[in-house]
Amino acid sequence: MTEPVRRFLSELPHPLRRAKRFGRSWVRFCQHRTASIFPRPVIIGGSPNAGTTAIAAWLAKAVGTESSNDPFWRVAHYDAQGFLLPDILEGRLTAGQFVDRFGAYFQAEIVKDPDFAFLYRQLKERFPQSKQVFVVRDPRDNIRSILHRLGIPGDLKELDPRDGYVPASRQRWRAIFEGHGLGITRGNYVARLAQRWSLGVRSYLDARSSIHLVRYEDVVADKTGVIEQLADDLDMPVVADISGAVDGSFPLRGGHHTALETFFGAANLRSIENLCADGMSALGYGKEP
């Protein structure tokens, strides 16, 4: 859409703008209802800022297929339905109903959303032939990356709502920080993110025999090798050389040059390491990152 057209649409009288929004909603509704949902998509879950987007894209390129990103975010952003993960976790909606209602986001052979980490069992019921992937990152680096992305210091005792770090308009992030649907009710903002990481790891560990693990750090060390091995594990033949596509640094977002204790302070760093200790041990993350 050109800039003059954007400006024209933004200047429409209020009733016409409302009609424009209705038209877009109707188009999306029709797209969902007529979508051809892929019968056995590869489901990729993990944690925000753990590299799921790049991993899904590189895997799709390697095996010559398409990927679809972040259905929960798309539903909130494009379909104006709000962030629906808590609705599924709290039993007001099933994962199967979510898939069928928003089918346009499930047409690709690879579907990635970090929040799938909490829905492996339900998604297996909807897609019994699907293979599932869990992407994980050292929780200290992961949480630092999330906070840096949002411009939030890591060493605060609490988040002050008056500072506007996570405005009401960012429904997904507010739900993440507040632990909606996951029973996370105690601790400050860092502790809640640490508990969320641990719950995602527990979901993986509870079904590890049927879920393929990818560690962010392993991808950083050997991007092409890890992606090709993942494709082999998923029985997806590699048809393209992705070495050129993965050249350059992996997306190390999140102030990774800042020392952990400098970023978090001693108390918040200790909170992460204590709350995530079992998961870190199970996945090979030692005291020193």
Side-chain angles (χ1 to χ4, degrees):
M1 185 184 299
T2 64
E3 185 57 35
V5 172
R6 286 195 189 91
R7 189 161 52 247
F8 169 75
L9 292 174
S10 68
E11 294 171 355
L12 287 173
H14 177 69
L16 293 180
R17 289 201 304 272
R18 187 164 53 193
K20 180 188 70 174
R21 286 195 296 270
F22 174 79
R24 289 177 177 172
S25 297
W26 175 250
V27 168
R28 283 192 293 271
F29 175 84
C30 293
Q31 288 173 335
H32 290 311
R33 290 300 176 271
T34 59
S36 179
I37 297 173
F38 198 87
R40 52 186 185 284
V42 171
I43 299 294
I44 299 180
S47 177
N49 282 45
T52 54
T53 298
I55 289 166
W58 291 342
L59 176 63
K61 185 175 181 62
V63 302
T65 191
E66 299 293 327
S67 63
S68 176
N69 288 333
D70 305 328
F72 283 111
W73 182 86
R74 290 188 175 200
V75 167
H77 188 75
Y78 295 120
D79 298 89
Q81 296 292 311
F83 182 59
L84 296 180
L85 176 66
D87 293 69
I88 298 177
L89 294 173
E90 294 170 356
R92 295 184 295 275
L93 180 72
T94 69
Q97 289 169 334
F98 178 82
V99 170
D100 293 335
R101 186 179 300 177
F102 303 106
Y105 305 140
F106 290 87
Q107 298 183 98
E109 188 174 1
I110 298 169
V111 185
K112 159 261 167 183
D113 194 303
D115 295 316
F116 287 162
F118 305 106
L119 301 174
Y120 286 128
R121 180 184 56 79
Q122 287 202 41
L123 289 168
K124 197 67 172 178
E125 293 174 358
R126 176 59 180 79
F127 298 112
Q129 302 303 314
S130 282
K131 296 185 178 180
Q132 300 178 329
V133 177
F134 179 64
V135 180
V136 70
R137 183 178 184 181
D138 185 306
R140 296 161 293 194
D141 291 330
N142 202 167
I143 294 170
R144 176 177 56 182
S145 180
I146 290 170
L147 295 178
H148 189 273
R149 172 180 179 174
L150 298 173
I152 301 175
D155 57 354
L156 304 177
K157 289 185 177 180
E158 297 287 349
L159 287 184
D160 188 334
R162 293 172 297 182
D163 291 332
Y165 284 125
V166 190
S169 60
R170 306 189 75 169
Q171 298 178 51
R172 176 172 177 260
W173 285 113
R174 286 183 68 89
I176 287 173
F177 275 90
E178 294 171 8
H180 291 175
L182 293 170
I184 300 172
T185 59
R186 295 185 296 175
N188 72 358
Y189 67 111
V190 172
R192 290 183 181 220
L193 290 176
Q195 292 172 75
R196 197 177 197 274
W197 184 92
S198 291
L199 288 171
V201 170
R202 174 50 53 193
S203 176
Y204 158 71
L205 292 174
D206 286 345
R208 70 170 80 190
S209 63
S210 61
I211 301 175
H212 302 274
L213 176 68
V214 176
R215 296 195 341 152
Y216 175 98
E217 295 77 12
D218 296 333
V219 180
V220 171
D222 182 9
K223 306 177 191 71
T224 301
V226 170
I227 296 300
E228 290 183 349
Q229 181 60 57
L230 176 60
D232 185 63
D233 293 342
L234 297 170
D235 297 321
M236 303 176 80
V238 172
V239 298
D241 179 5
I242 63 167
S243 57
V246 303
D247 280 345
S249 62
F250 195 57
L252 289 166
R253 293 185 293 186
H256 55 284
H257 296 302
T258 305
L260 289 169
E261 189 161 348
T262 300
F263 183 83
F264 287 114
N268 281 350
L269 179 58
R270 183 168 59 250
S271 176
I272 295 171
E273 292 178 338
N274 289 340
L275 290 166
C276 300
D278 290 345
M280 290 172 64
S281 176
L283 298 178
Y285 293 118
K287 188 71 173 177
E288 295 298 326

